[in-house]
Amino acid sequence: MKKGNPRFFCEYCGAEVQRNAKNCPSCGRRFGSVRCPKCEFTADESLFAQGCPNCGYSAKPGEWPDFSPPETRDPLLKNGPLPVWVYVVTVFALVAVAGIFLLNLFK
């Protein structure tokens, strides 16, 4: 990939942002660091002055990086939302614990 003027995008909403932006002008999320959309290397924005220092990626003008949705980056949610039975069991367990607590409270 050609190194040049890198473009920066919000990893939450995909909007293009200025290199030194601390918050996304579109969704308002705060940036703590920059993440390369190609190799996912994460570091301070100053290291990305000529593109990704790890793989050299720099989006060409008019090119839109391939962003995965934020929920797919969370290892607990990599396969989508939890099955319904997990929520049912959780609610049942909470009701049971609350019932036991109330029974012991009024003895």
Side-chain angles (χ1 to χ4, degrees):
M1 222 26 66
K2 177 188 167 207
K3 289 189 178 185
N5 292 333
R7 296 168 61 208
F8 295 87
F9 299 88
C10 175
E11 69 178 291
Y12 299 101
C13 71
E16 188 165 1
V17 297
Q18 295 294 319
R19 176 178 176 215
N20 59 354
K22 298 298 178 196
N23 294 58
C24 175
S26 179
C27 71
R29 293 282 187 112
R30 179 156 172 70
F31 304 127
S33 59
V34 173
R35 181 179 61 89
C36 175
K38 184 175 180 185
C39 71
E40 296 193 359
F41 176 75
T42 304
D44 187 69
E45 60 92 11
S46 62
L47 295 177
F48 286 81
Q50 298 299 314
C52 177
N54 189 46
C55 70
Y57 177 81
S58 179
K60 295 177 185 174
E63 180 182 316
W64 190 258
D66 181 26
F67 288 101
S68 59
E71 60 271 9
T72 62
R73 289 190 293 274
D74 186 347
L76 294 175
L77 297 176
K78 68 181 176 185
N79 295 323
L82 296 172
V84 174
W85 68 266
V86 173
Y87 297 106
V88 171
V89 169
T90 303
V91 169
F92 179 76
L94 288 173
V95 168
V97 168
I100 292 170
F101 175 77
L102 290 173
L103 286 174
N104 287 332
L105 185 68
F106 294 112
K107 278 189 174 184

